[in-house]
Amino acid sequence: MLKLYHLEQSRSLRILWLLEELGLDYELETYSRDPETLRAPASLGERAPMPKSPIIEDDGRALVESGAIIDYLTEVKANGELAYGPESSHYPEYRQWLHFTEGSLMCPLVYHLIASAMGCEHEGLQSFTDGEIATYLGFLTRQLERHDYLVADAFSAADVQMSFPLEFAEARGVLKDYPVLQRYLQRLQARPAYRRAREKGGNYDLSVFSLGVA
Ligand SMILES: N[C@@H](CCC(=O)N[C@@H](CS)C(=O)NCC(=O)O)C(=O)O
């Protein structure tokens, strides 16, 4: 059976949410973050290929990386539900948003956390990071000012992927300047499958990532 190695307070909630949206059967193995370091426990790396989450296992094969897992679940396990394949005219923007989330948006948000949490703020680095976040969230805002969802005005797995950086940005106090994105996030969080994932996924208190926020 399909299995999700799930880490609490992490991106892995997206995969749990998608499994619920797609109505797939799955087994859930949940791990808690180390309360001191906030890292994944070593036991995750003993059971899965590495101490990172999300990781899924299916037919004896393990798969890491949220975007790849989303592709596998939607295309291989759910006949393309909540996704757009190459035959669709929406394929380019669907893939753009799916990749933009981890490939661009997450990077400066993580820098923002690491630099302030470790007390190594460098004025140049901080202003570069703030500028990158503003560029990316501005780009996203312009899309969502005109549309309720990222692709074709319909909910898709690209929206599931986008949820985590926005929740992370919210925990770091960044989202307060982006009301369009706040409303979009609330729309996503109101979905019954999201709520079920929150109930099943254990602790999802992201305020632990507010380190260094004034
Ligand atoms: N780009 C990867 C990132 C995976 C990742 O860094 N996951 C974090 C959870 S948010 C993790 O496992 N952190 C635990 C640790 O690094 O100790 C993805 O989207 O799957």
Side-chain angles (χ1 to χ4, degrees), residues 7 10-11 14 33 39-40 51-54 65-66 102:
L7 179 66
S10 88
R11 288 161 165 92
R14 294 187 292 209
R33 287 184 182 271
R39 303 301 305 267
K52 288 279 176 187
S53 180
E65 198 60 49
S66 310
E102 281 294 320

Side-chain angles (χ1 to χ4, degrees), residues 74-75 79-92 94-95:
T74 53
E75 290 166 20
N79 291 317
E81 208 180 315
L82 294 182
Y84 296 90
E87 71 293 345
S88 165
S89 61
H90 297 297
Y91 178 73
Y94 173 72
R95 301 221 63 83

